[in-house]
Amino acid sequence: CRIGVPNAFTPNGDGKNDYLYPLNAYKATDLQFSIYNRYGQLVFDTKDWTRKWDGTLRSVQQPTGTYVWTLSYFDTEKNERVFRKGTTILIR
């Protein structure tokens, strides 16, 4: 399975698209997922793919906008390190 990261999410508590995290990462090892705001400030970082970003930084809701993410992991099936980056939109 290819690991995907949604291009938008809506952390409004309705139970739909409330979190941002890598999807289908259960086979990945040595995973690192990081999210940065438009100023380059790290707002979320994890090595556990089940840990999800809720759109806050130190319990403060972050503003609507575009956020950059990086994803690095080891693909055991291909026996190679994978690095991906992209953007997602936080919608309030």
Side-chain angles (χ1 to χ4, degrees):
C1 279
R2 178 174 154 88
I3 297 175
V5 179
N7 58 10
F9 78 116
T10 57
N12 58 10
D14 69 354
K16 299 176 184 174
N17 301 314
D18 285 333
Y19 301 98
L20 182 65
Y21 62 101
L23 307 172
N24 298 325
Y26 57 91
K27 289 185 179 179
T29 60
D30 193 26
L31 180 135
Q32 180 76 39
F33 182 59
S34 305
I35 303 170
Y36 302 86
N37 65 17
R38 64 188 239 179
Y39 305 108
Q41 177 186 17
L42 181 67
V43 295
F44 182 79
D45 187 53
T46 187
K47 292 184 179 206
D48 177 1
W49 76 273
T50 63
R51 191 166 161 244
K52 305 169 184 181
W53 186 44
D54 63 359
T56 65
L57 175 62
R58 295 184 206 101
S59 300
V60 175
Q61 288 187 353
Q62 296 303 288
T64 294
T66 301
Y67 291 78
V68 174
W69 55 263
T70 61
L71 174 64
S72 174
Y73 63 93
F74 189 78
D75 185 331
T76 55
E77 291 181 0
K78 294 182 179 178
N79 198 34
E80 67 182 13
R81 187 101 189 128
V82 177
F83 180 79
R84 295 184 55 215
K85 63 182 177 178
T87 59
T88 192
I89 300 172
L90 186 158
I91 302 168
R92 295 223 179 258

